[in-house]
Amino acid sequence: MPLPSNTLSIAVLPGDGIGTEVTEATLAVLEPLAKRHGIGLAFETLRAGAFCYRDTGTAMSEETFARAAKADAILLGAMGWPEIRAADGTEIAPQLDLRFRLNLYAGVRPFRALPGVPVALADPRARDIDLVIVRESTEGLFFSRDRGTVTHDMAEETLRITRTVTEKLARFSFGLARQRAARRGRQGTVTLVDKANVFRAFAFMRGIFADIAAEYPDVAHGAHYVDAMALDLVRRPWAFDVLPTENMFGDILSDLGAGLVGGMGFAPSADIGDTHAVFQPAHGTAPDIAGKGLANPTATILSAAMMLDWLAGKGAGQGFADAAAELDAAVDAAFAGGLRTPDIGGADGTAAAARAIAARIGSAGG
Ligand SMILES: NC(=O)c1ccc[n+]([C@@H]2O[C@H](COP(=O)([O-])OP(=O)(O)OC[C@H]3O[C@@H](n4cnc5c(N)ncnc54)[C@H](O)[C@@H]3O)[C@@H](O)[C@H]2O)c1
Ligand SMILES: CC(C)[C@H](C(=O)O)[C@@H](O)C(=O)O
Ligand SMILES: [Mg+2]
């Protein structure tokens, strides 16, 4: 059958461990979805990650990088394996190279309580959790990757915050809050998460956010220290909307966010730049459950919905936006209808979860 005229190319990097399992499950859901909406997705699977490094000496070849960069979007499973390490003792993480080399400064990590999925807090307001961490993903402390110095007596790493990237991060965050406000019918709020009480770099970041906030008078704006935010994300997570933050803080707080709404299997993410984007779950390769068919593919499936939505925003057409909305709705409907993955105490493994979600396509609305 010929591909539809609006066919886009998707580079698929399944990676390691459960990365391969959740990716396979996601492709199984995307195929019927694309068919139903008449959108074309041409997948090209590429190898990269820790096991690729072990077998070939390279975590992601230049050819793989070039093919991924040429695709319309990149869908990634997860990469890394604790026992496979570079000579400096750090893990193999080519997903970081994608973020740095493609300037994917906005790490968008939404957290929402899905219907039927148990949340960590007993307070009934926890069912209203609907926040997005926007993790700056190209600098901050991660700027120091491959640059840190280690001697026998001392190790030193450097945190970098630049005006250019911070301005982009701020505009992205305020724009996102505005979009969400329109959808949710209430005012948007951007709360910068920093450590401006101690570090000049964060006082600098705060100043830039305050300047950009003036361009968005319809969006409320505040700032919170990261330690207090860790407390408040447990105490009143329903009170927050868009939370931009430095790279390392965002890495840590996003696992906390996942813990609030059912675990890592419910934490999608998108690393977005001006021209490219990578869509992947916020979780890792989960060596403790890899190879057992137990991984929850929801985070990756929701990341794929973010991909379709991003492609629609880039002009791919209404079919992509409709497909994204329907995929989100299918996930909600599947859980509302009784889907229970092992991470929340159920018996529906990776393939069963994908089947349950695929079965809602065409019947979940959207
Ligand atoms: N984006 C990425 O590719 C990424 C993210 C985080 C960690 N990693 C790498 O993954 C490896 C393992 O790291 P980790 O154990 O610290 O974090 P992890 O996210 O892989 O696992 C943390 C816990 O969450 C569970 N979990 C994660 N995803 C799940 C899913 N889809 N369904 C059900 N349970 C899930 C795991 O079983 C484990 O108990 C390391 O090599 C790490 O560097 C990669
Ligand atoms: C595995 C690791 C390199 C990665 C990160 O630190 O960004 C992961 O924890 C994430 O959250 O995507
Ligand atoms: Mg992380």
Side-chain angles (χ1 to χ4, degrees):
M1 202 176 73
L3 291 167
S5 58
N6 58 353
T7 295
L8 297 185
S9 58
I10 310 295
V12 180
L13 285 86
D16 307 305
I18 65 163
T20 59
E21 301 168 44
V22 294
T23 303
E24 189 187 332
T26 300
L27 295 182
V29 175
L30 283 177
E31 274 157 18
L33 182 77
K35 211 174 198 179
R36 173 169 149 76
H37 288 274
I39 61 174
L41 297 173
F43 299 108
E44 183 186 20
T45 299
L46 301 167
R47 191 162 184 232
F51 287 94
C52 179
Y53 174 82
R54 187 197 62 184
D55 297 345
T56 69
T58 309
M60 179 171 53
S61 70
E62 277 305 309
E63 197 200 331
T64 295
F65 173 77
R67 294 178 91 94
K70 219 172 68 194
D72 292 300
I74 302 167
L75 183 65
L76 197 148
M79 292 177 185
W81 202 257
E83 286 76 38
I84 304 178
R85 289 177 182 264
D88 65 4
T90 64
E91 274 196 37
I92 307 305
Q95 67 274 46
L96 294 180
D97 298 315
L98 287 171
R99 291 176 194 160
F100 298 153
R101 294 178 68 179
L102 298 175
N103 300 315
L104 310 180
Y105 55 87
V108 182
R109 298 185 163 194
F111 301 95
R112 192 165 63 84
L114 299 185
V117 174
V119 291
L121 306 175
D123 189 309
R125 288 173 293 182
R127 297 232 63 88
D128 301 331
I129 294 172
D130 180 6
L131 62 90
V132 186
I133 291 175
V134 185
R135 167 187 179 187
E136 196 295 309
S137 297
T138 60
E139 50 181 38
L141 188 54
F142 279 61
F143 163 78
S144 206
R145 179 183 183 231
D146 296 334
R147 289 189 175 92
T149 53
V150 182
T151 66
H152 181 267
D153 300 311
M154 190 184 77
E156 194 167 27
E157 306 270 5
T158 307
L159 178 146
R160 171 179 284 196
I161 306 282
T162 65
R163 176 174 298 280
T164 310
V165 170
T166 307
E167 286 179 350
K168 282 178 188 247
L169 183 77
R171 289 203 173 88
F172 186 97
S173 303
F174 283 102
L176 178 64
R178 187 175 269 174
Q179 258 177 35
R180 281 166 54 85
R183 185 166 48 72
R184 304 195 307 162
R186 61 166 108 140
Q187 194 192 21
T189 306
V190 169
T191 310
L192 175 66
V193 183
D194 63 28
K195 190 73 186 171
N197 46 343
V198 178
F199 296 102
R200 291 171 198 170
F202 288 112
F204 171 78
M205 195 175 191
R206 253 192 205 205
I208 294 170
F209 264 77
D211 290 346
I212 303 289
E215 297 170 18
Y216 298 82
D218 51 313
V219 180
H221 159 242
H224 226 66
Y225 299 133
V226 64
D227 44 353
M229 183 54 85
L231 173 72
D232 272 346
L233 278 179
V234 174
R235 207 166 53 168
R236 48 180 190 112
W238 46 84
F240 297 102
D241 181 13
V242 176
L243 304 177
T245 190
E246 181 272 336
N247 207 338
M248 180 79 142
F249 293 163
D251 183 31
I252 297 166
L253 292 181
S254 56
D255 279 30
L256 195 164
L260 294 171
V261 296
M264 296 309 295
F266 294 95
S269 96
D271 297 327
I272 298 179
D274 293 335
T275 53
H276 291 79
V278 172
F279 300 85
Q280 65 174 125
H283 64 70
T285 57
D288 53 341
I289 56 166
K292 298 179 182 158
L294 297 174
N296 177 358
T298 304
T300 317
I301 292 171
L302 291 174
S303 303
M306 293 172 80
M307 175 180 83
L308 296 172
D309 202 46
W310 180 79
L311 288 168
K314 288 276 170 202
Q318 188 58 36
F320 283 79
D322 293 344
E326 183 164 34
L327 188 49
D328 276 332
V331 168
D332 277 19
F335 281 99
L339 170 61
R340 291 291 176 271
T341 45
D343 48 348
I344 53 169
D348 300 312
T350 315
R355 276 196 302 275
I357 293 167
R360 298 287 173 162
I361 290 168
S363 64

